[in-house]
Amino acid sequence: MNNQYCRVGAVKSITSGNQAVAVLEYRYQNFLEKASSIANIDTRLADFFESKAKNIKKTLEELI
């Protein structure tokens, strides 16, 4: 039996251009939705999602 190597946690870089902007916009909206849906249940987790969205927004502003 041959060894099989799994790339758990492997990170794929986002290519530049329109594809990168589209992916970042999707992630930004996703984190905002998660933050708003969990705000009443767990405020610390909502703050975490908001901070992730803020970082993505900052990156988007640098690209555009």
Side-chain angles (χ1 to χ4, degrees):
M1 187 155 94
N2 295 334
N3 289 336
Q4 294 182 352
Y5 297 100
C6 181
R7 294 175 22 167
V8 174
V11 177
K12 227 179 177 183
S13 65
I14 299 173
T15 59
S16 62
N18 292 336
Q19 182 184 9
V21 172
V23 169
L24 288 174
E25 286 175 344
Y26 172 76
R27 289 182 181 177
Y28 174 71
Q29 290 297 325
N30 191 15
F31 279 122
L32 286 180
E33 288 173 8
K34 285 181 181 181
S36 66
S37 69
I38 202 155
N40 296 332
I41 300 169
D42 188 356
T43 55
R44 291 177 63 195
L45 187 57
D47 290 341
F48 171 76
F49 288 142
E50 287 174 0
S51 70
K52 294 297 266 185
K54 182 179 175 184
N55 290 339
I56 292 173
K57 183 177 180 181
K58 184 177 162 185
T59 304
L60 274 171
E61 290 172 351
E62 291 173 1
L63 287 176
I64 296 176

